[in-house]
Amino acid sequence: MAVSATRIERHARSLADPAGFWAEQAAAIDWTRRWDKVLDDSNPPLYRWFAGAELNTCYNALDRHVERGRGDQAALIYDSPLAGSKASFTYRELRDAVARLAGAIALRASARATGSSSICR
């Protein structure tokens, strides 16, 4: 498999200017708090990327795609020749399923905290 010139150029740039390269790549992600420093190399060999930054992984993986008009596009395609099964899930379907699961987990945690053994549906 041939490696494209663009890929070779990007790799070279990532090595020549790691902080600059990864700051540019990070601009494609939605952050809830922007980083203070792209690469904190003050304590080698323990380096920290995007020190002080915060993001919501689930939002970046699902919600933002729905908000930007891609809700009905396939986000996950499952194809198992061994099991002979196929399934496809859109961004919207996955976002909604994750929200339901998060709600169930929160409800269960709340029930445990209050000592309740029943879960209302």
Side-chain angles (χ1 to χ4, degrees):
M1 178 197 301
V3 178
S4 72
T6 302
R7 195 166 184 181
I8 292 170
E9 290 168 8
R10 285 183 181 169
H11 181 251
R13 170 121 163 54
S14 75
L15 296 176
D17 179 17
F21 175 82
W22 288 110
E24 289 173 10
Q25 304 311 304
I29 301 172
D30 291 311
W31 298 84
T32 53
R33 183 179 185 287
R34 193 167 168 85
W35 53 88
D36 300 318
K37 190 172 186 180
V38 175
L39 174 60
D40 178 0
D41 58 358
S42 64
N43 189 23
L46 304 175
Y47 300 97
R48 292 180 53 218
W49 286 95
F50 305 105
E54 188 176 279
L55 58 79
N56 181 320
T57 305
C58 191
Y59 177 84
N60 276 287
L62 300 172
D63 300 75
R64 75 189 210 134
H65 295 286
V66 174
E67 290 173 5
R68 295 173 187 171
R70 297 182 63 203
D72 295 325
Q73 290 182 356
L76 176 66
I77 300 170
Y78 174 79
D79 184 354
S80 174
L82 279 171
S85 64
K86 294 181 181 183
S88 179
F89 304 92
T90 67
Y91 284 104
R92 183 172 288 104
E93 289 170 330
L94 283 177
R95 181 203 60 190
D96 294 349
V98 167
R100 284 190 301 274
L101 179 60
I105 291 169
L107 188 59
R108 183 166 174 98
S110 176
R112 283 187 173 183
T114 61
S116 172
S117 60
S118 64
I119 296 179
C120 299
R121 294 182 189 193

